[in-house]
Amino acid sequence: MATHPHTPDELQARAASLDDADPLSALRDRFLLPEGVIYLDGNSLGALPAAVPSVVADVVRRQWGTDLIRSWNEHSWWQAPLRVGDAIGRLIGAAPGQTVAGDSTSVQLFNALTAACRLRPGRPLLLTDPAHFPTDQYIADSVARVLGLRVCRVPVRELPRFLAGEGDRVAVAGYSPVDYRTGELYDMAATTRAVQQAGALMLWDLCHAAGALPVGLDATGVDLAVGCGYKYLSGGPGAPAFLYVAERHHAAFDHPLTGWNGHAEPFALDGHYIPAEGIARARIGTPPMLSLLALEAALTAFDGVDMGRVRAKNLSLTGFLMDCADTLLDGFGFTVVTPRDPGRRGSQAALRHPEAYALVQALGTHGVIGDMRAPDLMRFGVNSLYVSHRDVLTAMLRLREIVSAGEHRQESFRRRTAVT
Ligand SMILES: Cc1ncc(COP(=O)(O)O)c(C=O)c1O
């Protein structure tokens, strides 16, 4: 690892001055973080927004407990998938009426990929990244099997070359703008353009972008997008995902899961499926209302928040984290794998270390929560709404203490848990 000019004292002073000048610092009060915990895993499960517990209690006790079935009308439960979809849409640059909330990212990937292939009949190829999150690859394989098509795994950087040769055979390209392991950010606009110039459709998985980057879906002309509600959107464990379908595709959008909620007249209870107009045809079945309304409450943490500022802060936090790693961890076997170029990184920084798992476990016992991705990556996700530069510095100082004392070598930190 390259040596870096900053001393620990200089890092301390820099953290203080960056935090003092942070226009988003007050947003931390919109979250209920446990005392003494530094939470750098919001790229896996966002922290609990303060607005959520009372809303969930009200939904359970009053809306469900007292108002019962009437709540579908009286509390507008029926409209929630599109209402919450629009709230997410505001954060990802989607005008109203193009985003629906519901189901999991995996399910929405299946829907989006299948519908995309149906929009491009006669094109036999689906493209995905061999480094993409596994579920994206598995679902692409399954869609290809169901439709009798073929998946080509093409790294995002090699897309232009592949498209030059095979572009007219490609139905859809499904990629993530952010590498979930390294945090590397790819050029969404250029990739979208290249895919569309080949006549194919562009599908983005925004799990690591929604709520962290000002994703301009409409402005970029993206065709389809999916993403989860539980990472930077902080909607809670297993929060509903979302599907974005650009308006120009609505009329021809042939959704594979034709559930009754997506029917033009659900309560006509007709035996034949007629899709609803617009994004409502991407509804499926009865939504998990408790989770959906928890997500809606969570999204209020973004009220009045400028995504440009969110982005500027997470770049500052990740840049600072890498500076701290350079100074404090030099000589301990770490490699920073996240790009230093701000234009090429998302909202997380990752360090490679052969004992990554044990180090993450040891850090957890010192109140610093990150995570590990096999075989050797420590990931630190920074949510601009509740992470400070002081948090980042403290995390790196604790990591140095652990590694210099060899504390992570204890047997208990090597025992694998189900979730890493
Ligand atoms: C890029 C990406 N897609 C999808 C998922 C998960 O899909 P699901 O929400 O269906 O579990 C993850 C989870 O970390 C992810 O990083």
Side-chain angles (χ1 to χ4, degrees):
M1 186 182 289
T3 52
H4 202 271
H6 299 303
T7 64
D9 282 351
E10 282 171 352
L11 291 170
Q12 204 93 48
R14 193 161 153 223
S17 80
L18 288 167
D19 285 346
D20 292 348
D22 173 12
L24 304 184
S25 59
L27 296 175
R28 193 182 178 100
D29 293 342
R30 296 185 182 184
F31 291 84
L32 299 174
L33 284 156
E35 199 55 43
V37 167
I38 292 176
Y39 194 61
L40 304 179
D41 210 8
N43 53 333
S44 225
L45 172 67
L48 171 63
V52 170
S54 59
V55 167
V56 170
D58 180 63
V59 171
V60 171
R61 290 194 181 281
R62 187 172 62 94
Q63 300 187 22
W64 176 17
T66 305
D67 298 340
L68 294 160
I69 191 80
R70 290 167 295 188
S71 290
W72 285 101
N73 290 315
E74 288 177 12
H75 299 296
S76 303
W77 284 1
W78 181 259
Q79 290 78 13
L82 303 192
R83 192 174 68 238
V84 178
D86 282 345
I88 296 169
R90 284 195 281 282
L91 302 176
I92 56 175
Q98 301 178 99
T99 311
V100 64
D103 301 279
S104 65
T105 317
S106 301
V107 171
Q108 297 296 10
L109 276 164
F110 179 84
N111 299 333
L113 286 169
T114 306
C117 292
R118 289 175 170 175
L119 285 166
R120 289 292 180 271
R123 289 175 168 242
L125 302 182
L126 286 79
L127 306 187
T128 193
D129 198 315
H132 210 333
F133 188 77
T135 209
D136 298 70
Q137 300 188 55
Y138 305 158
I139 297 281
D141 286 338
S142 178
V143 169
R145 277 202 306 280
V146 169
L147 299 178
L149 307 175
R150 192 157 66 81
V151 175
C152 290
R153 286 167 166 77
V154 182
V156 66
R157 266 190 223 85
E158 291 171 26
L159 263 181
R161 198 162 50 82
F162 184 90
L163 291 166
E166 305 264 3
D168 59 353
R169 303 178 68 229
V170 176
V172 58
Y175 285 77
S176 168
V178 182
D179 185 306
Y180 75 99
R181 279 182 279 227
T182 63
E184 179 165 2
L185 174 69
Y186 301 110
D187 187 336
M188 276 182 77
T191 308
T192 302
R193 245 189 336 269
V195 166
Q196 292 176 341
Q197 272 165 8
L201 296 179
M202 185 74 230
L203 161 65
W204 287 107
D205 178 337
L206 300 180
C207 278
H208 290 271
L213 317 174
V215 190
L217 290 186
D218 288 346
T220 310
V222 169
D223 298 293
L224 300 155
V226 300
C228 69
Y230 51 76
K231 296 183 192 284
Y232 295 99
L233 299 180
S234 303
F242 63 87
L243 167 67
Y244 161 91
V245 182
E247 192 174 6
R248 62 186 176 281
H249 294 304
H250 287 181
F253 194 79
D254 186 2
H255 198 287
L257 298 181
T258 46
W260 73 290
N261 280 209
H263 194 279
E265 288 187 67
F267 289 91
L269 302 173
D270 186 2
H272 298 281
Y273 187 79
I274 301 169
E277 293 289 317
I279 194 66
R281 68 179 50 189
R283 297 179 65 151
I284 307 171
T286 307
M289 203 48 66
L290 303 184
S291 304
L292 194 53
L293 296 180
L295 170 59
E296 183 171 39
L299 293 171
T300 64
F302 285 93
D303 283 355
V305 176
D306 171 24
M307 284 306 295
R309 286 195 160 161
V310 168
R311 176 63 176 143
K313 182 171 172 186
N314 62 47
L315 279 178
S316 175
L317 288 166
T318 48
F320 185 60
L321 191 149
M322 293 188 282
D323 287 351
C324 290
D326 287 344
T327 302
L328 302 172
L329 303 178
D330 193 24
F332 290 111
F334 292 89
T335 312
V336 174
V337 298
T338 304
R340 307 275 175 164
D341 174 356
R344 289 187 49 222
R345 68 174 184 266
S347 190
Q348 74 178 49
L351 307 180
R352 175 163 282 135
H353 191 282
E355 294 174 288
Y357 180 77
L359 286 166
V360 166
Q361 297 300 312
L363 262 178
T365 64
H366 288 269
V368 177
I369 302 181
D371 67 19
M372 177 268 185
R373 288 294 173 263
D376 56 3
L377 283 186
M378 305 176 71
R379 299 192 312 173
F380 300 103
V382 294
N383 186 319
S384 301
L385 275 55
Y386 53 79
V387 174
S388 68
H389 296 82
R390 285 184 183 90
D391 289 338
V392 163
L393 175 57
T394 305
M396 292 301 109
L397 285 168
R398 291 196 186 151
L399 182 55
R400 182 172 69 164
E401 283 164 22
I402 290 165
V403 76
S404 57
E407 189 187 329
H408 59 293
R409 301 229 163 80
Q410 288 172 30
E411 196 48 40
S412 58
F413 295 137
R414 292 168 188 279
R415 236 170 273 131
R416 294 286 169 137
T417 48
V419 177
T420 62

